[in-house]
Amino acid sequence: MNKVTFEGISFNADWAASISEKEFVKHEAHHGLTVDQLKQAHSLCKTSISPAQVPAAEPKP
Amino acid sequence: MSTNFCSLVGGNTGAALCGGKRKVPKKFVAGNKAFTSSEYADAETFQAAMLAAINLPNGDTNKLFPFPEIFDVAVNTEAPTMGNLALGPQRRLRKGRPVYTYSVELTHEEYQALLPFDGVNVPIFSFDDATQWWGYRGAAAANTINTNPFKGEMVYITVSGNGFEDGANAATGVATISVSYKSIDDFEKRGTYIKTPDMSPGDLKGLIDIMLSETQAHASNVYKIKATIPVAQLGVELNVYDDIGAALAALTWTAGTGANYGTPLTITSIAVDATLKSLTVTFDSTAYTALAGGTKIKLTPPNTTALIAGNITGFEIGSIILTK
């Protein structure tokens, strides 16, 4: 399992990359991070996985 | 042609100079580990293999359990059984088995940790004050020097004592561990040893159990998990959060449900909670919501190998069964 530690929180990067940024922010909102921080964590998770894995596409606004 | 068997009674009685002999035992480890010739090829390799066996998780067939340092040794070896006919010479009918009683200083928790070994038969390796590890040379398909497995000597252990002291005798209040060797042949004919000059009794420490518990009622898929060391003293909680909480959160935990908890349940994040001195474990909400109420979830912490890789040494953490 790929992990990313951000602000002391260890995130499951494989799982994070499989969902949208919006879903990630909502799911992990209980940690007390700001929305911007959660978006940053999600971005780090997506970029940490191997190139062979395709991250979930962000939903169109 | 010889007219007697005298030349065939025994064998040559010489031996190489400066060989080892059993000295005063300082520690022993119990378990089924059999060291291969590769593992005892030299002292450094054996030392590493010994420590690795001690650090294996509980339940591993090759795990070795260190006993406390020995502070007193009483030799209680059985007297040989002798007998003779009325007009005949006294003969030894049976050799006595080696029996040793070790006195150790233990806390109540340490004593309780040894009680599972009371009244059991188990192989042991003994470490003496000449830094020699004693065991027995197991037979291999080809009984060749330095290819046989190095195994523990089978003993029957009892654990007792650790009661109140009488204030006058230092021997009171200590724990006594009796070790009775089951096979005199293994002890004498197959007894063998390896020297580890760089080892000392302090290197041989048993793992401390850490127990997981829920700090408070969970909030949906978010659980608060506390890691503590069980103690006998009432009103005391040894929470390991301050020492290793952050390091634990950074390691890989797993969870499962269903038969044998074989259906993975994704953990999306693990965080530290400084207020509750706990870990915040979050499960995938979609998968969690799909579980029936009352579903059992097994949360499995990092094993001893992962803990050591994460610079957390000397501990083993048990799993916890959570309920949705």
Side-chain angles (χ1 to χ4, degrees), chain A residues 6-60:
Chain A
F6 179 79
E7 295 292 333
I9 303 167
S10 180
F11 291 103
N12 182 337
D14 296 320
W15 166 83
S18 70
I19 61 173
S20 68
E21 178 186 85
K22 184 178 178 181
E23 290 171 314
F24 177 86
V25 169
K26 180 182 177 183
H27 194 279
E28 301 296 319
H30 56 278
H31 289 302
L33 299 181
T34 65
V35 171
D36 284 342
Q37 286 177 315
L38 288 170
K39 288 180 177 179
Q40 188 177 352
H42 185 249
S43 176
L44 287 171
C45 288
K46 285 171 64 176
T47 56
S48 74
I49 61 173
S50 67
Q53 293 175 293
V54 179
E58 293 299 323
K60 294 181 180 178

Side-chain angles (χ1 to χ4, degrees), chain B residues 23 143 155 217 261 275 301 309-310:
Chain B
K23 303 294 283 183
N143 191 17
V155 301
Y261 301 101
T275 303

Side-chain angles (χ1 to χ4, degrees), chain B residues 137-151:
Chain B
R137 191 196 307 275
N143 191 17
T144 309
I145 296 297
N146 282 337
T147 63
N148 304 132
F150 180 39
K151 307 169 81 170

Side-chain angles (χ1 to χ4, degrees), chain B residues 15-262:
Chain B
L17 296 176
C18 306
K21 70 177 295 292
R22 294 182 192 259
K23 303 294 283 183
V24 179
K26 297 297 292 178
K27 272 239 181 184
F28 67 88
V29 298
N32 194 45
K33 171 71 178 177
F35 294 95
T36 64
S37 56
S38 299
E39 291 176 312
Y40 63 72
D42 55 65
E44 290 74 24
T45 305
F46 179 78
Q47 183 169 329
M50 172 62 71
L51 294 177
I54 290 172
N55 286 319
L56 287 172
N58 210 350
D60 190 301
T61 188
N62 291 313
K63 180 166 177 72
L64 291 175
F65 299 91
F67 272 61
E69 186 165 354
I70 296 165
F71 292 137
D72 191 73
V73 180
V75 179
N76 297 316
T77 294
E78 299 172 344
T81 302
M82 309 297 288
N84 63 280
L85 297 174
L87 301 177
Q90 191 173 55
R91 289 182 292 154
R92 189 190 68 205
L93 302 177
R94 183 173 61 83
K95 274 189 174 180
R97 287 189 179 84
V99 180
Y100 302 90
T101 301
Y102 302 138
S103 296
V104 296
E105 295 268 3
L106 299 177
T107 65
H108 194 52
E109 284 86 2
E110 289 171 327
Y111 181 77
Q112 289 176 323
L114 291 186
L115 286 177
F117 293 92
D118 182 34
V120 303
N121 297 295
V122 65
I124 70 169
F125 296 90
S126 299
F127 183 70
D128 68 19
D129 63 355
T131 66
Q132 299 170 135
W133 280 100
W134 289 89
Y136 99 100
R137 191 196 307 275
N143 191 17
T144 309
I145 296 297
N146 282 337
T147 63
N148 304 132
F150 180 39
K151 307 169 81 170
E153 297 171 295
M154 188 64 76
V155 301
Y156 172 75
I157 293 179
T158 62
V159 178
S160 58
N162 231 53
F164 289 108
E165 302 172 3
D166 69 2
N169 186 345
T172 59
V174 300
T176 54
I177 302 169
S178 173
V179 174
S180 176
Y181 287 79
K182 299 194 71 178
S183 170
I184 187 67
D185 280 347
D186 283 351
F187 190 83
E188 294 187 344
K189 297 178 184 175
R190 292 289 189 83
T192 189
Y193 65 99
I194 181 170
K195 293 184 74 71
T196 53
D198 291 335
M199 260 188 142
S200 78
D203 298 333
L204 309 163
K205 293 227 180 281
L207 299 180
I208 298 173
D209 287 326
I210 290 178
M211 182 180 70
L212 299 178
S213 59
E214 281 193 79
T215 314
Q216 62 187 27
H218 59 273
S220 184
N221 59 319
V222 180
Y223 285 71
K224 298 291 185 179
I225 304 297
K226 184 169 57 175
T228 57
I229 297 173
V231 294
Q233 185 176 350
L234 296 175
V236 171
E237 181 179 84
L238 295 185
N239 189 326
V240 301
Y241 174 86
D242 287 337
D243 290 341
I244 61 173
L248 282 178
L251 297 177
T252 299
W253 297 57
T254 60
T257 61
N260 297 316
Y261 301 101

